[in-house]
Each structure stands twice: as C-alpha cells, then as structure tokens.
Amino acid sequence: MGRFRCDLATQRWGWSDETFHIHGFEPGDVVPTTTLVLAHRHPDDRERVSGILQGAACTGEPFSSVHRIMDAQGRERTLTMVGQGRLDPDTREVRELVGYFVDITTALRAQAGEAASAAIRASAVSRAGIEQAKGIIAFVLNIDVEEAFEHLRRASNETNVAVREIARQVVEAASVKKLSATDIANVLAAPPNAHDLSWAMRAGTISAGVPR
C-alpha cells in the first residue's frame, strides 16, 4: 500500500516510496504528474480513472476505483485507489487530492487460481458421472460407449436438460435397481424439470427396488 497526494494547481503528485515501487520505479526515478499517472493506467481503464480524478477535483468527495496499470517494466498490475479532496481553508475550493494505492494483483491471482481449481474439480466430478452413465447405458443396451454418449446427448437436446444431469439420473437409477432397456429409455426421457428420481417413482416408470 502506498500514499499519494496530488496538487491540483500544478498537477504534481507526491508519492510514498511504496507508490513508486507499485508503479515499477525506484523513489526519485521520475517526477509524478497527472499525465504520468494516467499514462501508466491500462488503456481500457484510463478514461474511467481520468473521469474519477476530474470528478473528485471538482467536488472533493471521497472516491475509489479498482483498475489496472502497466508499470515501468511493462507488467500489468491491479490496484485499488481510494482518496478524497482537501479544501483550501480560504477559498473552500478543492486544493489537492490525497489517498492510497493498494496493489491487489497477488490477491486477485490467488483468487482466480482457487476459482480455476474449483472449476476443474467440478468438471472432473461431472465428467466422471458422465463416464459412469455411459458405461451403464452401454452395458444395458449392449452398445459401445460412443453410442451410449449419443443417447445422452440426444436426450439432453430433446429435454433441454444438461448431459451431466441426465447422467446423474442414470447413475442414481442404477443404484436403486438393476436397469432394463425400458428403464434406460424412461430415464432418458426425463422432463426438463426433473432433478431427482421422485418423478419417475410417482409415475411408476421406475419401481423402487433393493440396490445392487
């Protein structure tokens, strides 16, 4: 986290050592100005940040932003900027902007990594269920696994239910009883709002039995 101060009359900025480092500079390497600050904002975020600073310069009200920068080494970073205006005691006009930059790049990358890992784990679980369902259908109907997947895919298209959900129903049905070709057909014809086997039990299309 680094501090900043912007003199609105001169457009010169005062940076703490940490703010220099956040922007990829050593303290004293450059003289920070509004032009320099905006030049290091990511092109897609620059206009938005400029608007926030201009608004704060007019009103002096607290402001905040999450945006990207390109530091002096060309590395992309994500910062949180928070600050507010200070008024001239005589004119009551906004004299300067003061606040902090917080580098949240590492935290965001960690969060993104955790989200990606969770998505991969969920995908693996979903895929495992589909593979299991393919094996059940292939065994019961005496077909190969590619044909079995085609049954799942066709059922998904016709019922507007995700393949993974239909696969889950097949696996669940197989845990209830030994399935016949008719049972497979009934499960694959599940209505769009089916989330469990209760619909099939009520309709009598699959009878409860002792799990295998």
Side-chain angles (χ1 to χ4, degrees), residues 46-59:
R46 188 174 298 144
E47 184 176 351
R48 177 169 58 85
V49 174
S50 177
I52 290 171
L53 294 176
Q54 290 177 22
C58 292
T59 66

Side-chain angles (χ1 to χ4, degrees), residues 84-162:
Q84 64 181 34
R86 283 181 176 169
L87 303 182
D88 185 293
D90 297 324
T91 65
R92 304 305 295 171
E93 293 182 350
V94 184
R95 179 179 63 188
E96 61 184 10
L97 303 179
V98 296
Y100 298 89
F101 288 118
V102 183
D103 187 346
I104 61 174
T105 307
T106 301
L108 282 180
R109 285 176 181 166
Q111 186 180 44
E114 291 173 2
S117 296
I120 290 170
R121 289 193 297 270
S123 177
V125 170
S126 174
R127 191 67 207 173
I130 292 173
E131 292 299 321
Q132 190 174 2
K134 283 165 57 177
I136 294 169
I137 294 171
F139 177 77
V140 173
L141 302 184
N142 194 28
I143 57 178
D144 63 37
V145 291
E146 293 307 316
E147 289 181 271
F149 182 73
E150 183 60 24
H151 279 278
L152 287 170
R153 188 194 63 77
R154 188 183 308 116
S156 176
N157 289 339
E158 292 175 353
T159 63
N160 198 31
V161 176

Side-chain angles (χ1 to χ4, degrees), residues 11 15 21 40 50 81 95-96 103 135 148-149 173 197 204 207 211:
Q11 294 299 309
W15 282 358
H21 292 150
H40 280 279
S50 177
M81 175 180 67
R95 179 179 63 188
E96 61 184 10
D103 187 346
F149 182 73
L197 287 179
S207 58

